[in-house]
Amino acid sequence: HVQLVESGGGSVQAGGSLTLSCAASGYTYSNGCMGWFRQAPGKEREEVAVIDADGETTYADSVKGRFALSQDNSKRTLYLQMNRLKPEDTAMYYCAAAELYLDGRCPLPDIGYWGQGTQVTVS
């Protein structure tokens, strides 16, 4: 059974940094992808960053240049380094994973596994 557990959330002042972690178990990553999504009250869910099996990363325009995604393959852990945080970054952050591509692309968020989320608050 695939399980994703997020950690690293918290409260920081604007301009500060946080690093989120997602520990995956029971997950086959060879042909899949992983990513971070976030949702704030009253807003749609937003794709923050995605990494594919080759290590290629994609970022939302709203976080480009401030956030960095990386993968620890040996420990099956996904990281999101968040720098120069802004109040508008406040949201619940979710880790997601898909074991296979669909039609040549990452099928997230439509198909995949999800963690319970970790809250990030910037003030």
Side-chain angles (χ1 to χ4, degrees), residues 37-41 89-94 116-120:
F37 296 75
R38 68 185 182 185
Q39 187 166 24
D89 293 318
T90 296
M92 184 71 74
Y93 284 71
Y94 299 91
Q116 292 295 109
T118 184
Q119 179 68 39
V120 172

mmCIF file of all heavy atoms in Angstrom, residues 37-41 89-94 116-120:
data_model
loop_
_atom_site.group_PDB
_atom_site.id
_atom_site.type_symbol
_atom_site.label_atom_id
_atom_site.label_comp_id
_atom_site.label_asym_id
_atom_site.label_seq_id
_atom_site.Cartn_x
_atom_site.Cartn_y
_atom_site.Cartn_z
ATOM 1 N N PHE A 37 1.390 20.001 -4.300
ATOM 2 C CA PHE A 37 0.228 20.812 -4.606
ATOM 3 C C PHE A 37 -0.165 21.582 -3.356
ATOM 4 O O PHE A 37 0.156 21.178 -2.251
ATOM 5 C CB PHE A 37 -0.937 19.943 -5.082
ATOM 6 C CG PHE A 37 -0.673 19.218 -6.372
ATOM 7 C CD1 PHE A 37 0.164 18.112 -6.408
ATOM 8 C CD2 PHE A 37 -1.254 19.643 -7.557
ATOM 9 C CE1 PHE A 37 0.422 17.438 -7.595
ATOM 10 C CE2 PHE A 37 -1.014 18.979 -8.753
ATOM 11 C CZ PHE A 37 -0.177 17.885 -8.769
ATOM 12 N N ARG A 38 -0.857 22.676 -3.534
ATOM 13 C CA ARG A 38 -1.289 23.447 -2.376
ATOM 14 C C ARG A 38 -2.688 23.993 -2.604
ATOM 15 O O ARG A 38 -3.129 24.187 -3.736
ATOM 16 C CB ARG A 38 -0.321 24.594 -2.066
ATOM 17 C CG ARG A 38 -0.290 25.703 -3.104
ATOM 18 C CD ARG A 38 0.788 26.719 -2.773
ATOM 19 N NE ARG A 38 0.810 27.826 -3.718
ATOM 20 C CZ ARG A 38 1.718 28.790 -3.706
ATOM 21 N NH1 ARG A 38 2.687 28.785 -2.797
ATOM 22 N NH2 ARG A 38 1.666 29.765 -4.598
ATOM 23 N N GLN A 39 -3.374 24.239 -1.500
ATOM 24 C CA GLN A 39 -4.700 24.816 -1.568
ATOM 25 C C GLN A 39 -4.927 25.722 -0.368
ATOM 26 O O GLN A 39 -4.755 25.307 0.773
ATOM 27 C CB GLN A 39 -5.781 23.735 -1.623
ATOM 28 C CG GLN A 39 -7.168 24.290 -1.866
ATOM 29 C CD GLN A 39 -8.171 23.223 -2.264
ATOM 30 O OE1 GLN A 39 -7.993 22.050 -1.950
ATOM 31 N NE2 GLN A 39 -9.209 23.624 -2.968
ATOM 32 N N ALA A 40 -5.301 26.950 -0.653
ATOM 33 C CA ALA A 40 -5.645 27.913 0.373
ATOM 34 C C ALA A 40 -7.158 28.057 0.433
ATOM 35 O O ALA A 40 -7.849 27.808 -0.559
ATOM 36 C CB ALA A 40 -4.997 29.260 0.077
ATOM 37 N N PRO A 41 -7.704 28.455 1.582
ATOM 38 C CA PRO A 41 -9.151 28.627 1.696
ATOM 39 C C PRO A 41 -9.703 29.563 0.630
ATOM 40 O O PRO A 41 -9.167 30.654 0.417
ATOM 41 C CB PRO A 41 -9.322 29.218 3.097
ATOM 42 C CG PRO A 41 -8.139 28.719 3.853
ATOM 43 C CD PRO A 41 -7.022 28.727 2.857
ATOM 44 N N ASP A 89 1.760 32.545 -0.038
ATOM 45 C CA ASP A 89 2.163 31.145 -0.046
ATOM 46 C C ASP A 89 1.450 30.336 1.035
ATOM 47 O O ASP A 89 1.574 29.110 1.069
ATOM 48 C CB ASP A 89 3.672 31.007 0.151
ATOM 49 C CG ASP A 89 4.466 31.563 -1.010
ATOM 50 O OD1 ASP A 89 4.077 31.330 -2.171
ATOM 51 O OD2 ASP A 89 5.494 32.230 -0.759
ATOM 52 N N THR A 90 0.741 31.014 1.909
ATOM 53 C CA THR A 90 0.015 30.333 2.975
ATOM 54 C C THR A 90 -1.010 29.377 2.388
ATOM 55 O O THR A 90 -1.869 29.772 1.597
ATOM 56 C CB THR A 90 -0.683 31.345 3.886
ATOM 57 O OG1 THR A 90 0.296 32.146 4.547
ATOM 58 C CG2 THR A 90 -1.532 30.640 4.934
ATOM 59 N N ALA A 91 -0.919 28.109 2.761
ATOM 60 C CA ALA A 91 -1.804 27.082 2.220
ATOM 61 C C ALA A 91 -1.505 25.753 2.888
ATOM 62 O O ALA A 91 -0.504 25.601 3.596
ATOM 63 C CB ALA A 91 -1.625 26.945 0.704
ATOM 64 N N MET A 92 -2.388 24.795 2.645
ATOM 65 C CA MET A 92 -2.100 23.418 2.981
ATOM 66 C C MET A 92 -1.352 22.817 1.800
ATOM 67 O O MET A 92 -1.825 22.898 0.662
ATOM 68 C CB MET A 92 -3.381 22.641 3.263
ATOM 69 C CG MET A 92 -3.146 21.209 3.715
ATOM 70 S SD MET A 92 -2.461 21.097 5.394
ATOM 71 C CE MET A 92 -3.919 21.516 6.356
ATOM 72 N N TYR A 93 -0.198 22.236 2.065
ATOM 73 C CA TYR A 93 0.633 21.661 1.024
ATOM 74 C C TYR A 93 0.521 20.141 1.043
ATOM 75 O O TYR A 93 0.686 19.509 2.092
ATOM 76 C CB TYR A 93 2.090 22.075 1.208
ATOM 77 C CG TYR A 93 2.354 23.498 0.783
ATOM 78 C CD1 TYR A 93 1.867 24.565 1.526
ATOM 79 C CD2 TYR A 93 3.089 23.783 -0.363
ATOM 80 C CE1 TYR A 93 2.087 25.869 1.137
ATOM 81 C CE2 TYR A 93 3.327 25.083 -0.762
ATOM 82 C CZ TYR A 93 2.822 26.126 -0.008
ATOM 83 O OH TYR A 93 3.057 27.427 -0.402
ATOM 84 N N TYR A 94 0.266 19.567 -0.117
ATOM 85 C CA TYR A 94 0.078 18.133 -0.258
ATOM 86 C C TYR A 94 1.127 17.530 -1.179
ATOM 87 O O TYR A 94 1.451 18.101 -2.222
ATOM 88 C CB TYR A 94 -1.302 17.817 -0.837
ATOM 89 C CG TYR A 94 -2.456 18.279 0.011
ATOM 90 C CD1 TYR A 94 -3.021 19.534 -0.175
ATOM 91 C CD2 TYR A 94 -2.988 17.453 0.994
ATOM 92 C CE1 TYR A 94 -4.081 19.962 0.600
ATOM 93 C CE2 TYR A 94 -4.052 17.870 1.774
ATOM 94 C CZ TYR A 94 -4.595 19.126 1.569
ATOM 95 O OH TYR A 94 -5.654 19.544 2.336
ATOM 96 N N GLN A 116 -1.552 13.491 3.611
ATOM 97 C CA GLN A 116 -2.556 14.187 4.400
ATOM 98 C C GLN A 116 -2.364 15.698 4.404
ATOM 99 O O GLN A 116 -3.283 16.437 4.742
ATOM 100 C CB GLN A 116 -2.550 13.669 5.835
ATOM 101 C CG GLN A 116 -3.032 12.234 5.983
ATOM 102 C CD GLN A 116 -4.481 12.086 5.599
ATOM 103 O OE1 GLN A 116 -4.810 11.505 4.564
ATOM 104 N NE2 GLN A 116 -5.376 12.617 6.423
ATOM 105 N N GLY A 117 -1.197 16.160 4.031
ATOM 106 C CA GLY A 117 -0.940 17.581 3.942
ATOM 107 C C GLY A 117 -0.190 18.129 5.139
ATOM 108 O O GLY A 117 -0.214 17.560 6.232
ATOM 109 N N THR A 118 0.476 19.251 4.928
ATOM 110 C CA THR A 118 1.156 19.965 5.995
ATOM 111 C C THR A 118 0.915 21.459 5.800
ATOM 112 O O THR A 118 1.002 21.976 4.686
ATOM 113 C CB THR A 118 2.665 19.629 6.024
ATOM 114 O OG1 THR A 118 3.282 20.269 7.143
ATOM 115 C CG2 THR A 118 3.367 20.075 4.743
ATOM 116 N N GLN A 119 0.579 22.140 6.877
ATOM 117 C CA GLN A 119 0.185 23.541 6.804
ATOM 118 C C GLN A 119 1.403 24.451 6.789
ATOM 119 O O GLN A 119 2.325 24.298 7.598
ATOM 120 C CB GLN A 119 -0.716 23.899 7.988
ATOM 121 C CG GLN A 119 -1.162 25.361 8.018
ATOM 122 C CD GLN A 119 -2.105 25.709 6.896
ATOM 123 O OE1 GLN A 119 -2.977 24.904 6.542
ATOM 124 N NE2 GLN A 119 -1.946 26.896 6.322
ATOM 125 N N VAL A 120 1.383 25.415 5.872
ATOM 126 C CA VAL A 120 2.396 26.460 5.809
ATOM 127 C C VAL A 120 1.702 27.801 5.984
ATOM 128 O O VAL A 120 0.775 28.125 5.240
ATOM 129 C CB VAL A 120 3.169 26.433 4.474
ATOM 130 C CG1 VAL A 120 4.087 27.650 4.357
ATOM 131 C CG2 VAL A 120 3.965 25.147 4.355
#
